[in-house]
Amino acid sequence: MAAIASINVVARVAAAPKRVATRRNFMGARVAGPAPARVTAKVSFAVRAEEAKAQIIKPINGDPFIGMLETPVTSAPIVANFLSNLPAYRTGVSPLTRGVEVGLAHGFFVTGPFIKLGPLRNTDMAETAGCLSGAGLVIILTACLSIYGATAFQRDEVIGVKTLSGRVTARDPVQTADGWAKFTSGWLVGGLSGVAWSYFLTQVLPYYS
């Protein structure tokens, strides 16, 4: 903008017609000559870029190719600590133990909907039918985990895992064929144990009914 304005001003000065004026010298004679040129001020404009606004939601670590967004919720320390303590992300624990922990939680809670919402909910066999349905669901999910492991981990990974700073880190043992098999075994044992514990509590707790 500043360059265009300067060019326009200079063009107007150059295109202005020359005026001829007459003036008297010190002896009174008239002398013809060009009139003094009128000086036009040069105007310049400074264009400033708009200030960058603070982004609340942005790509994690400023890299849009990671495919993960950084938000005030996901970046909060309390959320990060909670997620890092889940069995799925505790890389220091063996895959078998992690599978048992996940199976215990799911096996215990999965029987509730079958007991309270199943077709036999208004009969005396509601707890037994609900727990048997929960055990069947655990076995079905175990088969699904086995199929996933057989298809997802067919070969060994050649490329290692590195951080953004270039530091080489060990791969999660669960992300291998052997580790996933142990996780699936732990899931089956933990899930059936959780179902058994749920059935025991329905028969023992005095205020359950």
mmCIF file of all heavy atoms in Angstrom, residues 22-75:
data_model
loop_
_atom_site.group_PDB
_atom_site.id
_atom_site.type_symbol
_atom_site.label_atom_id
_atom_site.label_comp_id
_atom_site.label_asym_id
_atom_site.label_seq_id
_atom_site.Cartn_x
_atom_site.Cartn_y
_atom_site.Cartn_z
ATOM 1 N N THR A 22 5.384 35.684 -14.914
ATOM 2 C CA THR A 22 6.206 36.879 -15.177
ATOM 3 C C THR A 22 6.492 37.571 -13.876
ATOM 4 O O THR A 22 5.628 37.637 -13.003
ATOM 5 C CB THR A 22 5.477 37.842 -16.126
ATOM 6 O OG1 THR A 22 4.231 38.198 -15.516
ATOM 7 C CG2 THR A 22 5.207 37.168 -17.469
ATOM 8 N N ARG A 23 7.691 38.049 -13.769
ATOM 9 C CA ARG A 23 8.068 38.765 -12.558
ATOM 10 C C ARG A 23 9.022 39.899 -12.939
ATOM 11 O O ARG A 23 9.616 39.904 -14.021
ATOM 12 C CB ARG A 23 8.736 37.817 -11.571
ATOM 13 C CG ARG A 23 10.023 37.185 -12.059
ATOM 14 C CD ARG A 23 10.581 36.240 -11.005
ATOM 15 N NE ARG A 23 11.859 35.669 -11.423
ATOM 16 C CZ ARG A 23 11.971 34.583 -12.171
ATOM 17 N NH1 ARG A 23 10.891 33.975 -12.621
ATOM 18 N NH2 ARG A 23 13.164 34.141 -12.520
ATOM 19 N N ARG A 24 9.167 40.851 -12.122
ATOM 20 C CA ARG A 24 10.012 42.013 -12.360
ATOM 21 C C ARG A 24 11.367 41.811 -11.714
ATOM 22 O O ARG A 24 11.453 41.253 -10.640
ATOM 23 C CB ARG A 24 9.365 43.286 -11.800
ATOM 24 C CG ARG A 24 8.045 43.635 -12.481
ATOM 25 C CD ARG A 24 7.432 44.871 -11.810
ATOM 26 N NE ARG A 24 6.169 45.220 -12.412
ATOM 27 C CZ ARG A 24 6.040 46.002 -13.489
ATOM 28 N NH1 ARG A 24 7.124 46.524 -14.037
ATOM 29 N NH2 ARG A 24 4.848 46.284 -13.967
ATOM 30 N N ASN A 25 12.390 42.305 -12.462
ATOM 31 C CA ASN A 25 13.715 42.282 -11.860
ATOM 32 C C ASN A 25 13.957 43.574 -11.107
ATOM 33 O O ASN A 25 13.055 44.408 -10.979
ATOM 34 C CB ASN A 25 14.795 42.053 -12.918
ATOM 35 C CG ASN A 25 14.744 43.141 -14.008
ATOM 36 O OD1 ASN A 25 13.964 44.097 -13.907
ATOM 37 N ND2 ASN A 25 15.565 42.978 -15.024
ATOM 38 N N PHE A 26 15.181 43.743 -10.675
ATOM 39 C CA PHE A 26 15.450 44.918 -9.835
ATOM 40 C C PHE A 26 15.417 46.222 -10.633
ATOM 41 O O PHE A 26 15.329 47.288 -10.075
ATOM 42 C CB PHE A 26 16.820 44.766 -9.145
ATOM 43 C CG PHE A 26 17.978 44.771 -10.096
ATOM 44 C CD1 PHE A 26 18.683 45.950 -10.349
ATOM 45 C CD2 PHE A 26 18.379 43.605 -10.728
ATOM 46 C CE1 PHE A 26 19.761 45.934 -11.211
ATOM 47 C CE2 PHE A 26 19.441 43.599 -11.577
ATOM 48 C CZ PHE A 26 20.161 44.765 -11.832
ATOM 49 N N MET A 27 15.464 46.180 -12.004
ATOM 50 C CA MET A 27 15.419 47.407 -12.816
ATOM 51 C C MET A 27 14.027 47.670 -13.362
ATOM 52 O O MET A 27 13.828 48.583 -14.143
ATOM 53 C CB MET A 27 16.415 47.315 -13.973
ATOM 54 C CG MET A 27 17.872 47.208 -13.485
ATOM 55 S SD MET A 27 19.036 47.269 -14.832
ATOM 56 C CE MET A 27 18.802 48.960 -15.405
ATOM 57 N N GLY A 28 13.044 46.863 -13.006
ATOM 58 C CA GLY A 28 11.678 47.133 -13.423
ATOM 59 C C GLY A 28 11.265 46.401 -14.678
ATOM 60 O O GLY A 28 10.106 46.492 -15.074
ATOM 61 N N ALA A 29 12.164 45.721 -15.387
ATOM 62 C CA ALA A 29 11.799 45.016 -16.617
ATOM 63 C C ALA A 29 11.078 43.706 -16.264
ATOM 64 O O ALA A 29 11.362 43.066 -15.259
ATOM 65 C CB ALA A 29 13.044 44.719 -17.441
ATOM 66 N N ARG A 30 10.151 43.391 -17.185
ATOM 67 C CA ARG A 30 9.415 42.141 -16.972
ATOM 68 C C ARG A 30 10.214 40.972 -17.523
ATOM 69 O O ARG A 30 10.692 41.003 -18.637
ATOM 70 C CB ARG A 30 8.055 42.199 -17.659
ATOM 71 C CG ARG A 30 7.103 43.216 -17.006
ATOM 72 C CD ARG A 30 5.779 43.226 -17.759
ATOM 73 N NE ARG A 30 4.835 44.106 -17.103
ATOM 74 C CZ ARG A 30 4.026 43.744 -16.114
ATOM 75 N NH1 ARG A 30 4.072 42.509 -15.687
ATOM 76 N NH2 ARG A 30 3.194 44.608 -15.573
ATOM 77 N N VAL A 31 10.339 39.966 -16.773
ATOM 78 C CA VAL A 31 11.087 38.768 -17.161
ATOM 79 C C VAL A 31 10.140 37.560 -17.034
ATOM 80 O O VAL A 31 9.500 37.378 -15.994
ATOM 81 C CB VAL A 31 12.329 38.557 -16.283
ATOM 82 C CG1 VAL A 31 13.072 37.285 -16.701
ATOM 83 C CG2 VAL A 31 13.239 39.765 -16.377
ATOM 84 N N ALA A 32 10.064 36.812 -18.134
ATOM 85 C CA ALA A 32 9.195 35.620 -18.134
ATOM 86 C C ALA A 32 10.020 34.389 -17.757
ATOM 87 O O ALA A 32 11.161 34.243 -18.214
ATOM 88 C CB ALA A 32 8.556 35.423 -19.500
ATOM 89 N N GLY A 33 9.449 33.523 -16.988
ATOM 90 C CA GLY A 33 10.146 32.314 -16.544
ATOM 91 C C GLY A 33 9.178 31.294 -15.953
ATOM 92 O O GLY A 33 8.009 31.619 -15.700
ATOM 93 N N PRO A 34 9.635 30.105 -15.803
ATOM 94 C CA PRO A 34 8.736 29.060 -15.244
ATOM 95 C C PRO A 34 8.407 29.345 -13.786
ATOM 96 O O PRO A 34 9.233 29.860 -13.045
ATOM 97 C CB PRO A 34 9.552 27.777 -15.384
ATOM 98 C CG PRO A 34 10.975 28.259 -15.404
ATOM 99 C CD PRO A 34 10.973 29.608 -16.085
ATOM 100 N N ALA A 35 7.152 29.046 -13.464
ATOM 101 C CA ALA A 35 6.718 29.226 -12.073
ATOM 102 C C ALA A 35 7.360 28.166 -11.188
ATOM 103 O O ALA A 35 7.684 27.073 -11.648
ATOM 104 C CB ALA A 35 5.202 29.141 -11.992
ATOM 105 N N PRO A 36 7.594 28.483 -9.975
ATOM 106 C CA PRO A 36 8.190 27.482 -9.073
ATOM 107 C C PRO A 36 7.271 26.264 -8.919
ATOM 108 O O PRO A 36 6.058 26.393 -8.810
ATOM 109 C CB PRO A 36 8.343 28.244 -7.751
ATOM 110 C CG PRO A 36 7.367 29.369 -7.839
ATOM 111 C CD PRO A 36 7.291 29.769 -9.288
ATOM 112 N N ALA A 37 7.877 25.121 -8.972
ATOM 113 C CA ALA A 37 7.095 23.861 -8.862
ATOM 114 C C ALA A 37 6.525 23.708 -7.457
ATOM 115 O O ALA A 37 7.181 24.035 -6.474
ATOM 116 C CB ALA A 37 7.975 22.667 -9.191
ATOM 117 N N ARG A 38 5.272 23.238 -7.424
ATOM 118 C CA ARG A 38 4.628 23.038 -6.137
ATOM 119 C C ARG A 38 5.048 21.674 -5.569
ATOM 120 O O ARG A 38 4.947 20.646 -6.237
ATOM 121 C CB ARG A 38 3.115 23.064 -6.300
ATOM 122 C CG ARG A 38 2.364 22.999 -4.968
ATOM 123 C CD ARG A 38 0.881 23.150 -5.176
ATOM 124 N NE ARG A 38 0.377 22.082 -6.021
ATOM 125 C CZ ARG A 38 -0.903 21.978 -6.412
ATOM 126 N NH1 ARG A 38 -1.754 22.924 -6.040
ATOM 127 N NH2 ARG A 38 -1.285 20.985 -7.177
ATOM 128 N N VAL A 39 5.523 21.691 -4.384
ATOM 129 C CA VAL A 39 6.004 20.471 -3.737
ATOM 130 C C VAL A 39 4.823 19.764 -3.059
ATOM 131 O O VAL A 39 4.087 20.394 -2.305
ATOM 132 C CB VAL A 39 7.104 20.776 -2.709
ATOM 133 C CG1 VAL A 39 7.569 19.491 -2.040
ATOM 134 C CG2 VAL A 39 8.262 21.503 -3.389
ATOM 135 N N THR A 40 4.656 18.489 -3.402
ATOM 136 C CA THR A 40 3.582 17.671 -2.808
ATOM 137 C C THR A 40 4.187 16.722 -1.783
ATOM 138 O O THR A 40 5.203 16.083 -2.052
ATOM 139 C CB THR A 40 2.846 16.872 -3.889
ATOM 140 O OG1 THR A 40 2.395 17.789 -4.898
ATOM 141 C CG2 THR A 40 1.661 16.125 -3.293
ATOM 142 N N ALA A 41 3.581 16.664 -0.649
ATOM 143 C CA ALA A 41 4.088 15.800 0.419
ATOM 144 C C ALA A 41 3.913 14.328 0.035
ATOM 145 O O ALA A 41 2.914 13.930 -0.552
ATOM 146 C CB ALA A 41 3.369 16.086 1.737
ATOM 147 N N LYS A 42 4.893 13.522 0.390
ATOM 148 C CA LYS A 42 4.865 12.094 0.134
ATOM 149 C C LYS A 42 4.221 11.393 1.321
ATOM 150 O O LYS A 42 4.664 11.551 2.450
ATOM 151 C CB LYS A 42 6.279 11.565 -0.092
ATOM 152 C CG LYS A 42 6.336 10.086 -0.429
ATOM 153 C CD LYS A 42 7.762 9.648 -0.689
ATOM 154 C CE LYS A 42 7.814 8.165 -1.020
ATOM 155 N NZ LYS A 42 9.213 7.710 -1.260
ATOM 156 N N VAL A 43 3.179 10.624 1.033
ATOM 157 C CA VAL A 43 2.423 9.950 2.081
ATOM 158 C C VAL A 43 2.722 8.461 2.022
ATOM 159 O O VAL A 43 2.728 7.869 0.943
ATOM 160 C CB VAL A 43 0.906 10.195 1.925
ATOM 161 C CG1 VAL A 43 0.143 9.528 3.058
ATOM 162 C CG2 VAL A 43 0.630 11.697 1.902
ATOM 163 N N SER A 44 2.976 7.850 3.150
ATOM 164 C CA SER A 44 3.231 6.408 3.229
ATOM 165 C C SER A 44 2.300 5.800 4.269
ATOM 166 O O SER A 44 1.948 6.445 5.258
ATOM 167 C CB SER A 44 4.693 6.133 3.596
ATOM 168 O OG SER A 44 4.996 6.699 4.857
ATOM 169 N N PHE A 45 1.905 4.565 4.001
ATOM 170 C CA PHE A 45 1.002 3.836 4.890
ATOM 171 C C PHE A 45 1.715 2.597 5.404
ATOM 172 O O PHE A 45 2.349 1.889 4.622
ATOM 173 C CB PHE A 45 -0.279 3.427 4.149
ATOM 174 C CG PHE A 45 -1.031 4.597 3.591
ATOM 175 C CD1 PHE A 45 -0.830 5.016 2.283
ATOM 176 C CD2 PHE A 45 -1.940 5.284 4.373
ATOM 177 C CE1 PHE A 45 -1.514 6.084 1.764
ATOM 178 C CE2 PHE A 45 -2.627 6.357 3.861
ATOM 179 C CZ PHE A 45 -2.422 6.770 2.554
ATOM 180 N N ALA A 46 1.590 2.345 6.683
ATOM 181 C CA ALA A 46 2.179 1.155 7.302
ATOM 182 C C ALA A 46 1.060 0.148 7.564
ATOM 183 O O ALA A 46 0.073 0.469 8.225
ATOM 184 C CB ALA A 46 2.894 1.507 8.598
ATOM 185 N N VAL A 47 1.196 -1.064 7.027
ATOM 186 C CA VAL A 47 0.203 -2.124 7.193
ATOM 187 C C VAL A 47 0.712 -3.100 8.254
ATOM 188 O O VAL A 47 1.808 -3.661 8.104
ATOM 189 C CB VAL A 47 -0.045 -2.860 5.866
ATOM 190 C CG1 VAL A 47 -1.082 -3.951 6.060
ATOM 191 C CG2 VAL A 47 -0.494 -1.870 4.805
ATOM 192 N N ARG A 48 -0.044 -3.291 9.298
ATOM 193 C CA ARG A 48 0.329 -4.186 10.372
ATOM 194 C C ARG A 48 -0.495 -5.468 10.312
ATOM 195 O O ARG A 48 -1.684 -5.439 10.025
ATOM 196 C CB ARG A 48 0.110 -3.519 11.735
ATOM 197 C CG ARG A 48 1.006 -2.313 11.978
ATOM 198 C CD ARG A 48 0.760 -1.739 13.351
ATOM 199 N NE ARG A 48 1.621 -0.595 13.604
ATOM 200 C CZ ARG A 48 1.600 0.120 14.729
ATOM 201 N NH1 ARG A 48 0.760 -0.222 15.701
ATOM 202 N NH2 ARG A 48 2.412 1.145 14.877
ATOM 203 N N ALA A 49 0.168 -6.582 10.567
ATOM 204 C CA ALA A 49 -0.529 -7.865 10.580
ATOM 205 C C ALA A 49 -1.363 -7.995 11.848
ATOM 206 O O ALA A 49 -1.017 -7.452 12.900
ATOM 207 C CB ALA A 49 0.467 -9.020 10.495
ATOM 208 N N GLU A 50 -2.482 -8.692 11.727
ATOM 209 C CA GLU A 50 -3.355 -8.886 12.874
ATOM 210 C C GLU A 50 -2.688 -9.791 13.902
ATOM 211 O O GLU A 50 -2.054 -10.785 13.552
ATOM 212 C CB GLU A 50 -4.670 -9.526 12.415
ATOM 213 C CG GLU A 50 -5.696 -9.654 13.521
ATOM 214 C CD GLU A 50 -6.985 -10.271 13.018
ATOM 215 O OE1 GLU A 50 -7.039 -10.588 11.816
ATOM 216 O OE2 GLU A 50 -7.919 -10.429 13.823
ATOM 217 N N GLU A 51 -2.818 -9.416 15.156
ATOM 218 C CA GLU A 51 -2.204 -10.193 16.224
ATOM 219 C C GLU A 51 -2.849 -11.570 16.318
ATOM 220 O O GLU A 51 -4.064 -11.721 16.157
ATOM 221 C CB GLU A 51 -2.354 -9.464 17.554
ATOM 222 C CG GLU A 51 -1.606 -8.127 17.605
ATOM 223 C CD GLU A 51 -1.744 -7.463 18.946
ATOM 224 O OE1 GLU A 51 -2.442 -8.056 19.805
ATOM 225 O OE2 GLU A 51 -1.169 -6.385 19.142
ATOM 226 N N ALA A 52 -2.024 -12.589 16.548
ATOM 227 C CA ALA A 52 -2.522 -13.963 16.652
ATOM 228 C C ALA A 52 -3.340 -14.125 17.935
ATOM 229 O O ALA A 52 -2.926 -13.711 19.008
ATOM 230 C CB ALA A 52 -1.368 -14.953 16.645
ATOM 231 N N LYS A 53 -4.521 -14.738 17.792
ATOM 232 C CA LYS A 53 -5.384 -14.953 18.939
ATOM 233 C C LYS A 53 -4.982 -16.228 19.671
ATOM 234 O O LYS A 53 -4.471 -17.165 19.069
ATOM 235 C CB LYS A 53 -6.838 -15.045 18.486
ATOM 236 C CG LYS A 53 -7.347 -13.774 17.817
ATOM 237 C CD LYS A 53 -8.807 -13.924 17.404
ATOM 238 C CE LYS A 53 -9.314 -12.649 16.751
ATOM 239 N NZ LYS A 53 -10.735 -12.791 16.316
ATOM 240 N N ALA A 54 -5.225 -16.239 20.942
ATOM 241 C CA ALA A 54 -4.902 -17.423 21.753
ATOM 242 C C ALA A 54 -5.868 -18.555 21.408
ATOM 243 O O ALA A 54 -7.084 -18.369 21.425
ATOM 244 C CB ALA A 54 -4.997 -17.090 23.234
ATOM 245 N N GLN A 55 -5.315 -19.710 21.058
ATOM 246 C CA GLN A 55 -6.114 -20.864 20.679
ATOM 247 C C GLN A 55 -6.315 -21.774 21.886
ATOM 248 O O GLN A 55 -5.354 -22.206 22.514
ATOM 249 C CB GLN A 55 -5.425 -21.630 19.544
ATOM 250 C CG GLN A 55 -5.252 -20.831 18.261
ATOM 251 C CD GLN A 55 -6.587 -20.528 17.587
ATOM 252 O OE1 GLN A 55 -7.545 -21.276 17.731
ATOM 253 N NE2 GLN A 55 -6.633 -19.433 16.863
ATOM 254 N N ILE A 56 -7.572 -22.058 22.195
ATOM 255 C CA ILE A 56 -7.875 -22.955 23.304
ATOM 256 C C ILE A 56 -7.713 -24.410 22.880
ATOM 257 O O ILE A 56 -7.179 -25.231 23.613
ATOM 258 C CB ILE A 56 -9.302 -22.698 23.820
ATOM 259 C CG1 ILE A 56 -9.416 -21.259 24.336
ATOM 260 C CG2 ILE A 56 -9.667 -23.682 24.925
ATOM 261 C CD1 ILE A 56 -10.788 -20.895 24.820
ATOM 262 N N ILE A 57 -8.158 -24.731 21.671
ATOM 263 C CA ILE A 57 -8.030 -26.084 21.121
ATOM 264 C C ILE A 57 -7.029 -26.027 19.969
ATOM 265 O O ILE A 57 -7.203 -25.275 19.018
ATOM 266 C CB ILE A 57 -9.383 -26.617 20.626
ATOM 267 C CG1 ILE A 57 -10.384 -26.651 21.790
ATOM 268 C CG2 ILE A 57 -9.234 -28.001 20.019
ATOM 269 C CD1 ILE A 57 -11.775 -27.070 21.375
ATOM 270 N N LYS A 58 -5.974 -26.786 20.067
ATOM 271 C CA LYS A 58 -4.909 -26.779 19.071
ATOM 272 C C LYS A 58 -4.300 -28.165 18.965
ATOM 273 O O LYS A 58 -4.512 -29.015 19.839
ATOM 274 C CB LYS A 58 -3.837 -25.758 19.452
ATOM 275 C CG LYS A 58 -3.232 -25.976 20.828
ATOM 276 C CD LYS A 58 -2.263 -24.863 21.198
ATOM 277 C CE LYS A 58 -1.703 -25.064 22.604
ATOM 278 N NZ LYS A 58 -0.760 -23.990 22.969
ATOM 279 N N PRO A 59 -3.552 -28.427 17.893
ATOM 280 C CA PRO A 59 -2.907 -29.751 17.766
ATOM 281 C C PRO A 59 -1.921 -29.988 18.898
ATOM 282 O O PRO A 59 -1.250 -29.074 19.368
ATOM 283 C CB PRO A 59 -2.199 -29.671 16.409
ATOM 284 C CG PRO A 59 -2.926 -28.609 15.667
ATOM 285 C CD PRO A 59 -3.382 -27.611 16.689
ATOM 286 N N ILE A 60 -1.842 -31.230 19.330
ATOM 287 C CA ILE A 60 -0.961 -31.562 20.441
ATOM 288 C C ILE A 60 0.492 -31.349 20.032
ATOM 289 O O ILE A 60 0.906 -31.696 18.923
ATOM 290 C CB ILE A 60 -1.199 -33.014 20.900
ATOM 291 C CG1 ILE A 60 -0.445 -33.294 22.193
ATOM 292 C CG2 ILE A 60 -0.845 -34.011 19.835
ATOM 293 C CD1 ILE A 60 -0.823 -34.606 22.843
ATOM 294 N N ASN A 61 1.255 -30.700 20.892
ATOM 295 C CA ASN A 61 2.661 -30.353 20.663
ATOM 296 C C ASN A 61 2.844 -29.479 19.419
ATOM 297 O O ASN A 61 3.937 -29.392 18.868
ATOM 298 C CB ASN A 61 3.526 -31.607 20.525
ATOM 299 C CG ASN A 61 3.568 -32.417 21.809
ATOM 300 O OD1 ASN A 61 3.475 -31.856 22.895
ATOM 301 N ND2 ASN A 61 3.694 -33.725 21.689
ATOM 302 N N GLY A 62 1.767 -28.828 18.952
ATOM 303 C CA GLY A 62 1.847 -27.980 17.779
ATOM 304 C C GLY A 62 2.027 -28.721 16.467
ATOM 305 O O GLY A 62 2.314 -28.095 15.443
ATOM 306 N N ASP A 63 1.841 -30.020 16.456
ATOM 307 C CA ASP A 63 2.036 -30.833 15.247
ATOM 308 C C ASP A 63 0.679 -31.350 14.775
ATOM 309 O O ASP A 63 0.089 -32.227 15.410
ATOM 310 C CB ASP A 63 2.972 -32.006 15.547
ATOM 311 C CG ASP A 63 3.371 -32.762 14.287
ATOM 312 O OD1 ASP A 63 2.881 -32.403 13.202
ATOM 313 O OD2 ASP A 63 4.170 -33.714 14.379
ATOM 314 N N PRO A 64 0.144 -30.835 13.666
ATOM 315 C CA PRO A 64 -1.182 -31.303 13.213
ATOM 316 C C PRO A 64 -1.166 -32.703 12.625
ATOM 317 O O PRO A 64 -2.225 -33.274 12.371
ATOM 318 C CB PRO A 64 -1.546 -30.254 12.145
ATOM 319 C CG PRO A 64 -0.238 -29.760 11.633
ATOM 320 C CD PRO A 64 0.708 -29.788 12.812
ATOM 321 N N PHE A 65 0.018 -33.270 12.370
ATOM 322 C CA PHE A 65 0.104 -34.598 11.760
ATOM 323 C C PHE A 65 -0.019 -35.728 12.780
ATOM 324 O O PHE A 65 -0.075 -36.897 12.396
ATOM 325 C CB PHE A 65 1.417 -34.737 10.992
ATOM 326 C CG PHE A 65 1.544 -33.752 9.863
ATOM 327 C CD1 PHE A 65 2.289 -32.595 10.016
ATOM 328 C CD2 PHE A 65 0.898 -33.960 8.660
ATOM 329 C CE1 PHE A 65 2.393 -31.669 8.996
ATOM 330 C CE2 PHE A 65 1.000 -33.049 7.628
ATOM 331 C CZ PHE A 65 1.743 -31.898 7.789
ATOM 332 N N ILE A 66 -0.027 -35.409 14.079
ATOM 333 C CA ILE A 66 -0.190 -36.445 15.094
ATOM 334 C C ILE A 66 -1.619 -36.961 15.115
ATOM 335 O O ILE A 66 -1.878 -38.130 15.377
ATOM 336 C CB ILE A 66 0.232 -35.906 16.473
ATOM 337 C CG1 ILE A 66 1.732 -35.562 16.465
ATOM 338 C CG2 ILE A 66 -0.060 -36.920 17.580
ATOM 339 C CD1 ILE A 66 2.235 -35.007 17.777
ATOM 340 N N GLY A 67 -2.570 -36.094 14.802
ATOM 341 C CA GLY A 67 -3.969 -36.509 14.801
ATOM 342 C C GLY A 67 -4.618 -36.473 16.163
ATOM 343 O O GLY A 67 -5.582 -37.188 16.412
ATOM 344 N N MET A 68 -4.094 -35.645 17.072
ATOM 345 C CA MET A 68 -4.645 -35.535 18.424
ATOM 346 C C MET A 68 -4.741 -34.063 18.779
ATOM 347 O O MET A 68 -3.816 -33.289 18.497
ATOM 348 C CB MET A 68 -3.763 -36.272 19.439
ATOM 349 C CG MET A 68 -4.260 -36.188 20.867
ATOM 350 S SD MET A 68 -5.731 -37.145 21.154
ATOM 351 C CE MET A 68 -5.065 -38.807 21.028
ATOM 352 N N LEU A 69 -5.880 -33.661 19.349
ATOM 353 C CA LEU A 69 -6.089 -32.275 19.731
ATOM 354 C C LEU A 69 -5.767 -32.085 21.212
ATOM 355 O O LEU A 69 -6.022 -32.961 22.036
ATOM 356 C CB LEU A 69 -7.531 -31.850 19.459
ATOM 357 C CG LEU A 69 -7.940 -31.768 17.988
ATOM 358 C CD1 LEU A 69 -9.405 -31.392 17.876
ATOM 359 C CD2 LEU A 69 -7.079 -30.768 17.235
ATOM 360 N N GLU A 70 -5.218 -30.923 21.508
ATOM 361 C CA GLU A 70 -4.884 -30.560 22.886
ATOM 362 C C GLU A 70 -5.911 -29.556 23.381
ATOM 363 O O GLU A 70 -6.032 -28.457 22.843
ATOM 364 C CB GLU A 70 -3.476 -29.971 22.939
ATOM 365 C CG GLU A 70 -2.989 -29.665 24.336
ATOM 366 C CD GLU A 70 -1.569 -29.144 24.355
ATOM 367 O OE1 GLU A 70 -0.973 -29.041 23.266
ATOM 368 O OE2 GLU A 70 -1.055 -28.842 25.446
ATOM 369 N N THR A 71 -6.690 -29.947 24.376
ATOM 370 C CA THR A 71 -7.737 -29.110 24.938
ATOM 371 C C THR A 71 -7.465 -28.885 26.423
ATOM 372 O O THR A 71 -6.643 -29.583 27.020
ATOM 373 C CB THR A 71 -9.117 -29.769 24.761
ATOM 374 O OG1 THR A 71 -9.155 -30.986 25.527
ATOM 375 C CG2 THR A 71 -9.374 -30.103 23.289
ATOM 376 N N PRO A 72 -8.148 -27.906 27.032
ATOM 377 C CA PRO A 72 -7.949 -27.710 28.478
ATOM 378 C C PRO A 72 -8.311 -28.933 29.301
ATOM 379 O O PRO A 72 -7.799 -29.123 30.406
ATOM 380 C CB PRO A 72 -8.877 -26.534 28.793
ATOM 381 C CG PRO A 72 -9.007 -25.795 27.510
ATOM 382 C CD PRO A 72 -8.952 -26.832 26.431
ATOM 383 N N VAL A 73 -9.179 -29.804 28.784
ATOM 384 C CA VAL A 73 -9.571 -31.005 29.534
ATOM 385 C C VAL A 73 -8.511 -32.090 29.387
ATOM 386 O O VAL A 73 -8.040 -32.669 30.372
ATOM 387 C CB VAL A 73 -10.941 -31.508 29.051
ATOM 388 C CG1 VAL A 73 -11.310 -32.802 29.775
ATOM 389 C CG2 VAL A 73 -12.005 -30.456 29.289
ATOM 390 N N THR A 74 -8.117 -32.384 28.157
ATOM 391 C CA THR A 74 -7.148 -33.460 27.942
ATOM 392 C C THR A 74 -5.748 -33.092 28.400
ATOM 393 O O THR A 74 -4.931 -33.983 28.658
ATOM 394 C CB THR A 74 -7.107 -33.837 26.456
ATOM 395 O OG1 THR A 74 -6.760 -32.663 25.676
ATOM 396 C CG2 THR A 74 -8.458 -34.344 25.987
ATOM 397 N N SER A 75 -5.447 -31.802 28.484
ATOM 398 C CA SER A 75 -4.106 -31.370 28.891
ATOM 399 C C SER A 75 -4.006 -31.090 30.388
ATOM 400 O O SER A 75 -2.921 -30.751 30.859
ATOM 401 C CB SER A 75 -3.706 -30.112 28.112
ATOM 402 O OG SER A 75 -3.727 -30.364 26.727
#
